[in-house]
Amino acid sequence: MLIQAHCSTLSPICLANPNRQFPIISRRAPFNVYRSNGAANWGLGRKKNRGVIVSASEGQSSTPNFPKKRKIVEHVCLLKSKEDLSDEEEQDMLDYLYTTQYQMRGIVAISLGRIGNENLHKYSHAFYLRFQRKEDLVKFYQNPFYLGILKEHVSPYCHGLLNVDYESEVEDDILPIFRKGEEFNFGVEFVLLISFVDNASDHAEDALVSLEGLLMGFPSLIVQSTRGVNFNLSSKEYTHGVVIRFRSFDSFEIFFGSSEYKDLWKSKFEKITQKTLSVHFLIQPVGSEIM
């Protein structure tokens, strides 16, 4: 099915030319490694706990056996780079940001890259981290290594940094928590920041639950999604955050070009949304992991 390029007034997503190529940034695997984010500390089993609905005619309960969930904390940082940023400077900045996962405890997943879509605020790069708990995020903001990276390898190249943080849940298993496995090695990372109008909390939750339900109906397109209330006081202009990992750019375009998504946005989000900011970037394998 051919998806026509369009920019809907009902949705924050603007689908550009499907033939446009994403900027691809290859990153070297870091070799100066002090600490890895080991999964053993979580005490997780490898067995999948998949939800199954058993027919009542078979003499069993028809109640779904939903997978057990584990709370996590999502961190999104958007950056505005200087216009004359060179490829070498960009590579240096992203390499150093990528190594933060090896320098401090609590980081369980990471992705970053050059944003592939235009946005009104002109953000150029995105940096995503997942933490075990809020306490780990607080330590991250205060960590001397991270502060040094910002000072020496980010601030010289970028300005207008935006941080959004929220709590969410994922399936309580190693692969979905740590975003490990082949299906997480490729795809498109999509970030949606939303500001709902005042006194719309109930309607906002209903809209987000409906979006989550729709996302679960497209497992062939989507690897994982999370959502939550933004608790970062420096960016309260956005009330909620959503992160979705698509399997490919085609998957990304098919979902946002679907009538199901457009109808959902029009019926659930349009009247209660004050403003939105959406960005996406391509995921590429980094190389051999050092554990």
Side-chain angles (χ1 to χ4, degrees):
M1 179 177 64
L2 177 64
I3 303 298
Q4 297 295 329
H6 76 285
C7 186
S8 172
T9 58
L10 306 178
S11 163
I13 314 305
C14 179
L15 297 184
N17 182 357
N19 296 321
R20 176 180 57 82
Q21 296 295 316
F22 261 91
I24 297 178
I25 302 172
S26 61
R27 292 186 298 280
R28 301 180 298 274
F31 292 97
N32 186 20
V33 177
Y34 294 96
R35 184 183 298 120
S36 64
N37 46 12
N41 294 334
W42 285 63
L44 302 176
R46 293 301 300 273
K47 184 178 180 180
K48 292 278 186 180
N49 182 15
R50 300 187 183 276
V52 178
I53 299 178
V54 182
S55 172
S57 63
E58 297 177 357
Q60 301 292 333
S61 171
S62 60
T63 302
N65 180 24
F66 292 108
K68 183 180 178 182
K69 298 290 186 177
R70 180 179 287 264
K71 290 185 177 181
I72 45 87
V73 176
E74 306 281 62
H75 167 73
V76 175
C77 177
L78 302 183
L79 303 166
K80 298 179 184 179
S81 68
K82 61 182 184 180
E83 294 184 0
D84 59 345
L85 181 70
S86 68
D87 291 343
E88 184 178 353
E89 290 171 335
E90 180 183 48
Q91 187 77 57
D92 177 77
M93 177 181 69
L94 295 179
D95 280 348
Y96 272 94
L97 285 172
Y98 188 80
T99 61
T100 55
Q101 65 180 313
Y102 301 105
Q103 307 297 329
M104 57 197 79
R105 295 184 183 276
I107 299 174
V108 298
I110 184 173
S111 68
L112 74 171
R114 187 191 308 166
I115 292 172
N117 62 294
E118 295 183 359
N119 55 88
L120 292 177
H121 299 283
K122 299 188 181 301
Y123 288 107
S124 60
H125 295 79
F127 177 45
Y128 159 85
L129 290 173
R130 174 173 292 172
F131 293 87
Q132 296 184 31
R133 55 187 69 88
K134 275 188 176 182
E135 292 81 359
D136 297 319
L137 176 64
V138 173
K139 293 178 181 178
F140 165 76
Y141 277 120
Q142 302 171 347
N143 187 278
F145 179 80
Y146 176 64
L147 294 176
I149 288 179
L150 290 181
K151 180 179 179 180
E152 299 176 15
H153 302 280
V154 176
S155 294
Y157 310 137
C158 294
H159 60 93
L161 182 147
L162 172 69
N163 290 310
V164 170
D165 305 301
Y166 64 89
E167 286 186 294
S168 191
E169 293 182 336
V170 295
E171 185 179 348
D172 191 8
D173 191 39
I174 289 178
L175 297 185
I177 291 175
F178 289 86
R179 298 180 119 208
K180 296 294 185 182
E182 184 176 354
E183 61 184 0
F184 281 106
N185 288 338
F186 300 89
V188 172
E189 200 83 273
F190 172 75
V191 176
L192 172 62
L193 306 181
I194 308 174
S195 175
F196 289 108
V197 298
D198 295 337
N199 302 319
S201 58
D202 291 341
H203 295 292
E205 180 62 19
D206 176 65
L208 290 169
V209 169
S210 298
L211 176 61
E212 182 179 4
L214 181 62
L215 292 169
M216 292 177 64
F218 287 86
S220 63
L221 305 179
I222 296 164
V223 181
Q224 187 182 75
S225 67
T226 62
R227 62 177 177 86
V229 178
N230 176 30
F231 59 80
N232 192 308
L233 298 179
S234 70
S235 59
K236 294 307 291 183
E237 58 186 300
Y238 295 104
T239 59
H240 294 73
V242 177
V243 174
I244 306 171
R245 170 64 68 85
F246 287 91
R247 297 185 182 277
S248 66
F249 185 55
D250 286 342
S251 299
F252 167 82
E253 288 209 314
I254 290 172
F255 178 79
F256 287 117
S258 68
S259 59
E260 292 91 341
Y261 168 74
K262 294 176 186 177
D263 292 343
L264 175 65
W265 188 269
K266 182 177 181 180
S267 62
K268 295 288 187 177
F269 286 86
E270 189 177 42
K271 293 182 180 179
I272 62 173
T273 300
Q274 191 170 26
K275 69 175 181 177
T276 63
L277 171 61
S278 64
V279 300
H280 54 268
F281 58 94
L282 187 67
I283 300 298
Q284 288 288 307
V286 176
S288 302
E289 295 181 355
I290 301 177
M291 300 297 291

